[in-house]
Amino acid sequence: MFLNSSGVLSVVLFGCVVNMNKMNISPEIEDFLNKFWEQMGYLVNTIIFLVVGTIITFSALDNIDATDIVYLFILYVGVSASRSIMLMTFHFVLSRLGYGSTWQSASVLMWGALRGAVSLALALQVNHNDGFCEAMRSKILFFVSGIVFFTLLVNSTTFNKVLSILGFCHISKAKKIAVDSAADLIMDSMKRELSILKEDDDHTDSRWDEVKKVCYIDTIYNSDKDILENREEIGQLHDKVAACTNCSNQVPVPLTKTELSEFYDESRNRIFKAFKISLWKQFDLGLLSKPALRYLDDMCDQTLDLHDKFIELKDIEYTWKIGRVLNYLKVLVTLASGSQKARRLSHSQ
């Protein structure tokens, strides 16, 4: 109030500044901070929705008529259309800058733009501003709350369907193979451990059928039928052969361009995940400092977002290069120490 600025927008800007300087946050407490602020955000969201619902029920609805409900529908369509136009206008620029953008991701941004606590908090500020008449404050709060209601009712309930149509829910064969292999490895380890425990006299009364049910791994597949179908598909992928047109021998069929791209992307993702795990292990062993861990971890995330990109030596070698100023000072110190040695030799002679 003293600076005549919005407290809500100030908090949003503060979050952006903290995110830009997140390298200063210790890696040991990062997970705790994420969970803490996630819980705080949930509590604040709940409080804001309760306050807005109470105010609309007991005061704002007195100044609302049937015409405002029609205006609310028109406003919801207009807000969605304006956001779509803005995203599609800048899509051509964003697709050639930074991480790049596709029409699918732009569509997700448009449809997934849920209005929530920030807009409601701003509407509450307007509702408590004496510079507007009571009717105007009630209408602003009603329209903002109505748009939030429609985005939660329409956009959020159909968001999964939109993702599925745009292909974001597609699971590649490479990922299925990786998950299937990991699940088999874990299940084999579990069976070995259970066989050892069964021989222990202290566990003779255990209900091993229940133990197996608890230890069962729920993967990306919905049922045993899906698992069998996927394994048959993987087997066909490995065993796919065709007759040679010249000698009639059976030769392996090469992967299609789409399958090869999926395998390449999945292999690239696994390489970056293994690299990040290695970074954290080195940090635990004291071989890597906090700034170095944060820098390399962030570089992994940024490089992973880029298409067909790996971390190269030229991307990080500048971090250990000595600057021009230090090189100049080093030369001066070397010259000064050399002149002092020459003087001492001359005096000793």
Side-chain angles (χ1 to χ4, degrees):
M1 297 296 292
F2 178 75
L3 298 175
N4 293 324
S5 62
S6 172
V8 177
L9 295 181
S10 300
V11 172
V12 174
L13 182 61
F14 173 73
C16 295
V17 173
V18 171
N19 183 66
M20 291 173 59
N21 298 275
K22 63 181 181 180
M23 290 182 63
N24 298 326
I25 301 175
S26 176
E28 297 96 331
I29 63 172
E30 182 179 6
D31 184 60
F32 167 76
L33 286 177
N34 289 334
K35 292 180 179 179
F36 173 79
W37 286 113
E38 182 180 357
Q39 187 66 27
M40 289 297 296
Y42 175 78
L43 293 175
V44 173
N45 276 332
T46 304
I47 293 173
I48 290 177
F49 274 85
L50 288 175
V51 171
V52 170
T54 303
I55 294 176
I56 290 177
T57 302
F58 290 99
S59 60
L61 290 180
D62 297 336
N63 300 310
I64 303 301
D65 52 25
T67 307
D68 294 324
I69 298 177
V70 178
Y71 288 155
L72 176 60
F73 282 101
I74 298 174
L75 189 60
Y76 169 73
V77 175
V79 168
S80 301
S82 62
R83 184 176 181 87
S84 303
I85 294 172
M86 181 194 69
L87 288 172
M88 292 305 172
T89 301
F90 289 99
H91 165 69
F92 301 100
V93 179
L94 294 175
S95 60
R96 291 165 176 80
L97 295 176
Y99 298 154
S101 175
T102 60
W103 70 269
Q104 293 94 337
S105 60
S107 302
V108 170
L109 287 175
M110 184 275 295
W111 195 252
L114 301 179
R115 287 83 180 173
V118 175
S119 55
L120 289 177
L122 292 173
L124 285 175
Q125 281 190 334
V126 174
N127 188 65
H128 289 83
N129 192 338
D130 296 333
F132 299 93
C133 64
E134 183 178 356
M136 179 61 68
R137 288 182 290 176
S138 299
K139 289 182 183 295
I140 291 176
L141 186 61
F142 171 76
F143 287 138
V144 173
S145 304
I147 292 176
V148 172
F149 172 76
F150 277 116
T151 55
L152 294 176
L153 180 65
V154 179
N155 296 51
S156 62
T157 56
T158 58
F159 192 64
N160 287 337
K161 187 65 176 177
V162 172
L163 289 177
S164 178
I165 293 174
L166 295 176
F168 285 97
C169 297
H170 171 68
I171 301 175
S172 65
K173 293 181 180 179
K175 193 173 188 66
K176 289 181 179 180
I177 292 174
V179 173
D180 189 75
S181 301
D184 284 342
L185 183 63
I186 296 174
M187 292 298 291
D188 290 340
S189 177
M190 181 199 71
K191 290 178 181 178
R192 289 194 299 268
E193 292 294 330
L194 288 179
S195 62
I196 295 174
L197 291 175
K198 287 180 180 179
E199 297 176 357
D200 192 346
D201 296 335
D202 296 334
H203 301 91
T204 54
D205 297 332
S206 301
R207 293 183 293 179
W208 296 110
D209 293 336
E210 297 295 329
V211 174
K212 288 182 179 180
K213 291 180 181 180
V214 173
C215 296
Y216 179 77
I217 300 175
D218 187 13
T219 61
I220 56 176
Y221 319 111
N222 298 324
S223 63
D224 294 336
K225 181 181 178 182
D226 295 332
I227 297 176
L228 294 175
E229 291 179 354
N230 177 69
R231 291 184 177 177
E232 290 177 0
E233 184 180 1
I234 294 172
Q236 293 174 2
L237 183 65
H238 288 294
D239 302 332
K240 190 184 295 184
V241 294
C244 179
T245 56
N246 297 324
C247 59
S248 69
N249 291 329
Q250 297 293 322
V251 294
V253 177
L255 297 175
T256 63
K257 187 176 181 180
T258 302
E259 292 173 344
L260 188 62
S261 176
E262 290 177 351
F263 274 90
Y264 175 79
D265 292 338
E266 183 62 26
S267 301
R268 181 170 168 269
N269 292 337
R270 295 181 69 179
I271 289 174
F272 274 101
K273 290 179 181 179
F275 181 61
K276 294 182 71 172
I277 293 173
S278 175
L279 291 177
W280 282 96
K281 287 183 178 179
Q282 294 180 56
F283 174 74
D284 293 336
L285 295 174
L287 302 177
L288 205 61
S289 62
K290 293 179 182 178
L293 172 65
R294 179 67 64 189
Y295 177 79
L296 293 174
D297 190 76
D298 289 342
M299 178 167 284
C300 282
D301 294 334
Q302 295 174 10
T303 309
L304 191 58
D305 290 335
L306 300 176
H307 179 66
D308 199 14
K309 174 69 175 174
F310 287 92
I311 299 177
E312 300 179 5
L313 181 61
K314 63 181 180 180
D315 298 330
I316 60 175
E317 62 180 358
Y318 73 91
T319 57
W320 62 73
K321 283 187 175 181
I322 300 176
R324 294 181 179 179
V325 177
L326 292 178
N327 276 326
Y328 179 72
L329 293 176
K330 180 182 178 181
V331 172
L332 291 180
V333 171
T334 304
L335 293 175
S337 61
S339 61
Q340 288 180 359
K341 289 180 180 180
R343 289 176 184 175
R344 290 174 184 174
L345 289 173
S346 61
H347 285 307
S348 62
Q349 292 177 357

